[in-house]
Amino acid sequence: MSNRAPNPSELFSDGLHHSAARIELGDLRLKQETSNRVSGSYQFKNESLSLNFESFLNHINDYIFIKPSGTEQTIRGAFPVWDYVQTNALLYGLDITANYKFNNQWFLNNKSAFIKGRNITQREALIDIPSFKTVSTLGYSNKNWLNFNAELQSELVLKQNNFPDNNFEVFIPSTQEMTLLDVSTPPPTYHLMHFASDITVKLSKKTDLNIGLNITNIFNTSYREYLNRLRYFA
């Protein structure tokens, strides 16, 4: 069991959050969260393979989160309004880590994370819960080649299909019409490839020079992260 008191932002926010381009409203009536968590893990290991499974179940009374509620006109223009609110929530998930060594030079790693969140009070999914993510890494190392290391990484993030419908309608003065503002639908699935490599050159007995090359998102894939606050604008 653990408790968490509301932080100052959750209590006192009352205006425009410039970096997120939204108006955030706190609530002085927020209570502390009370969390009851149960977790378990399983490990397996031999000469070439290691596996680790970690699962958890977390029931939180008075869970604090922020949700969209409408728009507000200011001298800077119209901005979405997000309110800090509370509910009773249930979180559960599974983390998997697997490492396999083909030999002394080649290896394959995988890290996968699965989590679900439910708003028990409203009987709906929680907002801002990470979707399923799996990261696989194929690596090669050779100490005889200036301590050469190279890794090719695959990052797959599936679309979050469990989310609350917080969409609302706004009035557009230029057209004199009401328009549905979609602030709920998560971005689609995306897959990224990364590459990293380095060597270490010995300059003297006490000095080493490490030279590395990193390429993030090799294929320049366009994507949006569900938990990124700027996904509405980019």
Side-chain angles (χ1 to χ4, degrees):
M1 188 186 77
S2 62
N3 295 314
R4 185 183 77 85
N7 65 45
S9 295
E10 296 165 340
L11 293 171
F12 300 108
S13 291
D14 189 22
L16 181 62
H17 190 304
H18 292 276
S19 65
R22 69 187 188 188
I23 295 172
E24 296 184 358
L25 302 178
D27 191 341
L28 290 172
R29 297 167 297 181
L30 293 179
K31 306 173 184 177
Q32 72 172 8
E33 294 180 345
T34 301
S35 170
N36 292 277
R37 177 186 172 98
V38 177
S39 62
S41 64
Y42 171 78
Q43 291 181 326
F44 171 83
K45 188 175 183 180
N46 60 23
E47 292 183 358
S48 57
L49 176 65
S50 66
L51 294 172
N52 185 56
F53 297 87
E54 297 184 8
S55 61
F56 73 91
L57 178 67
N58 195 4
H59 182 275
I60 307 175
N61 288 323
D62 298 318
Y63 172 73
I64 302 172
F65 66 104
I66 191 170
K67 61 178 291 187
S69 59
T71 60
E72 184 175 320
Q73 292 284 345
T74 73
I75 59 174
R76 297 286 302 276
F79 291 92
V81 179
W82 289 62
D83 297 323
Y84 284 102
V85 295
Q86 285 188 299
T87 190
N88 293 327
L90 182 68
L91 301 171
Y92 57 94
L94 175 67
D95 292 328
I96 302 174
T97 303
N99 302 299
Y100 184 78
K101 291 182 63 176
F102 297 97
N103 49 45
N104 291 330
Q105 295 177 328
W106 289 93
F107 66 88
L108 178 65
N109 297 336
N110 177 268
K111 291 184 178 180
S112 300
F114 167 85
I115 183 173
K116 292 290 185 181
R118 293 292 301 173
N119 184 331
I120 300 175
T121 303
Q122 300 296 328
R123 295 184 178 180
E124 63 182 11
L126 279 176
I127 192 173
D128 290 341
I129 298 298
S131 58
F132 175 79
K133 179 178 180 178
T134 181
V135 178
S136 299
T137 303
L138 177 64
Y140 174 82
S141 62
N142 193 326
K143 293 184 178 181
N144 297 325
W145 296 355
L146 300 177
N147 287 319
F148 174 79
N149 296 289
E151 293 184 356
L152 182 64
Q153 187 178 89
S154 166
E155 178 182 353
L156 175 64
V157 180
L158 300 186
K159 179 180 179 180
Q160 176 59 274
N161 293 315
N162 295 287
F163 59 93
D165 184 0
N166 292 317
N167 297 337
F168 50 85
E169 290 190 335
V170 295
F171 179 70
I172 308 299
S174 59
T175 61
Q176 295 294 305
E177 294 178 346
M178 297 295 293
T179 300
L180 181 68
L181 185 61
D182 186 357
V183 294
S184 302
T185 305
T189 297
Y190 62 89
H191 180 225
L192 309 178
M193 296 293 292
H194 315 296
F195 177 78
S197 180
D198 72 276
I199 59 173
T200 302
V201 180
K202 198 167 190 64
L203 301 180
S204 67
K205 291 183 178 180
K206 297 183 179 180
T207 306
D208 292 336
L209 174 64
N210 183 264
I211 303 172
L213 170 68
N214 288 277
I215 304 176
T216 302
N217 193 3
I218 295 174
F219 300 109
N220 197 29
T221 302
S222 297
Y223 69 97
R224 289 184 298 147
E225 170 60 48
Y226 176 52
L227 300 186
N228 191 330
R229 293 181 177 186
L230 299 182
R231 70 180 175 88
Y232 300 108
F233 311 102

